[in-house]
Amino acid sequence: MDLNEKYMPVVETIQKAGGTPPPTTPTLVELIKEVIKEDEIDFILAFNEQKSQTMEQLKASTGLSEDEINAKVEVLAKRGVIFNQPNSKGMMVFRLLPLFNVGIFEYMFMKKLEITPETQRIAALFTKMFDEHRGLVKEHYEDVVKMVKNIPPIDRTVPYTTNQDSGQSISIEINQSLGEMEEVHMPFQDVKDIVAKFDDIAVGHCFCRHHKDVVGDPCKQTDSRENCFTFGKSARYTSAQGFSRMVTKEEALAILTKAEDDGLIHKAYHPGFNSSRDETSICSCCSCCCGNAHGMTIAGTANEAWFMAVVDTGKCVSCGTCAEKCGTQAMTQGEDGSPSLNKDLCIGCGVCAHFCPENAISLVQNRRIVYTTPPRPE
């Protein structure tokens, strides 16, 4: 059996771990060979049938002692391959992480990487795999578009709340009557409120922008890199493994304020895509690097939006700032200079309202799922 054949069961096991499994290609095999060492193969294969295990279960599935398991886990956790945290009952659980959403890629590039031949080689393999995936999507584009319409929202937009020039609050209209949705829990709609409710807050590098840095294609929208926040148990895990650093609430708010100055879009993530549960993380996304951005997504994504932008034409001076700053291309400027909103693309982030020099844009409640499909093949 050659080395590639030896690694195929490892690839299949990681693909079954959840997240967004990429198609099996020679590039994927090469990537897994870089991430998983040959002497770790049997340990990874022990998760083939059950991706989350207790220590006793792992001792049975691996045949290793507790000390041997802890030694393996310590190394693999620092690579973002194994998640080792207590469950709600306080019992330590060891979970095999997927390659994406959320797993090896995110944690690998969340920490500060030295640019070395090894990290460049791994980053290049990820880029090559992304490009190959885009090619497959183009071949099956119509089927992919249909599939996107059936996926749950993976993140939730958290809107801006102040206008940059005036410092005034952006008008945000919350409908008092939600009809059929009146029993729905409304999560916090201000990043300050989200930060305030957590004692454990950690920040790491934006993995999308950091990956682009390593391959030599840096972000064109911001020079900030520490924009990826984790909270609670996730913060304790990411900081313990060196993917992030613990910060105070004040430090977190300062970073988020800088993100707003750069026009980045706040996205919150919840356990099981359920926004009634506390946030696990917040990203501040740009439009040129983020894997979920309009025009950047490979296979499409879905976002939970609670608001939509509305322009007060009486205040608008047709300066074009809103169209320039819009990160989803929802706001465009017509030939007469007036703004036009594509409601199918607006995620209610409030970036346009934040930068409008006339404070002419408000947000109105409009809860829905906004689907972002990959670019149509030329």
Side-chain angles (χ1 to χ4, degrees), residues 262-323:
D262 292 338
L264 305 180
I265 298 173
H266 300 316
K267 299 284 193 70
Y269 295 80
H270 301 262
F273 310 133
N274 183 354
S275 61
S276 68
R277 300 176 65 184
D278 280 346
E279 295 80 2
T280 58
S281 57
I282 287 180
C283 288
S284 294
C285 303
C286 66
S287 58
C288 60
C289 302
C290 177
N292 291 330
H294 181 85
M296 290 293 297
T297 180
I298 296 175
T301 188
N303 170 258
E304 181 178 327
W306 281 77
F307 297 95
M308 184 176 290
V310 174
V311 179
D312 183 338
T313 55
K315 291 182 180 179
C316 178
V317 296
S318 301
C319 66
T321 300
C322 56

Side-chain angles (χ1 to χ4, degrees), residues 94-144:
F94 305 91
R95 176 162 57 91
L96 180 67
L97 291 171
L99 195 61
F100 302 107
N101 285 338
V102 171
I104 296 170
F105 173 77
E106 289 85 358
Y107 291 132
M108 177 178 293
F109 291 99
M110 189 185 290
K111 64 184 176 183
K112 176 61 179 174
L113 291 175
E114 296 293 330
I115 297 183
T116 66
E118 180 185 11
T119 57
Q120 288 179 315
R121 184 169 63 250
I122 292 173
L125 283 169
F126 272 111
T127 299
K128 184 178 180 182
M129 187 174 63
F130 295 153
D131 290 342
E132 290 173 349
H133 199 174
R134 285 189 179 92
L136 289 172
V137 167
K138 287 182 179 181
E139 291 177 17
H140 307 280
Y141 185 77
E142 297 303 330
D143 291 334
V144 170

Side-chain angles (χ1 to χ4, degrees), residues 1-10 38 41 45:
M1 180 185 297
D2 67 21
L3 196 55
N4 283 354
E5 290 176 325
K6 193 173 183 180
Y7 267 92
M8 281 306 300
V10 180
E38 193 171 354
I41 288 178
L45 294 181

Side-chain angles (χ1 to χ4, degrees), residues 17 24 27 70 77 85 96 157 163 172 176 182 190 203-206 223 243 252 258 266 307 312 330 338 375:
T24 301
T27 303
N70 282 329
Q85 284 289 305
L96 180 67
T157 300
N163 178 267
I172 298 180
Q176 296 302 310
E182 60 184 340
D190 191 322
V203 66
H205 287 65
C206 167
D223 59 0
F243 306 140
K258 171 64 165 64
H266 300 316
F307 297 95
D312 183 338
S338 61

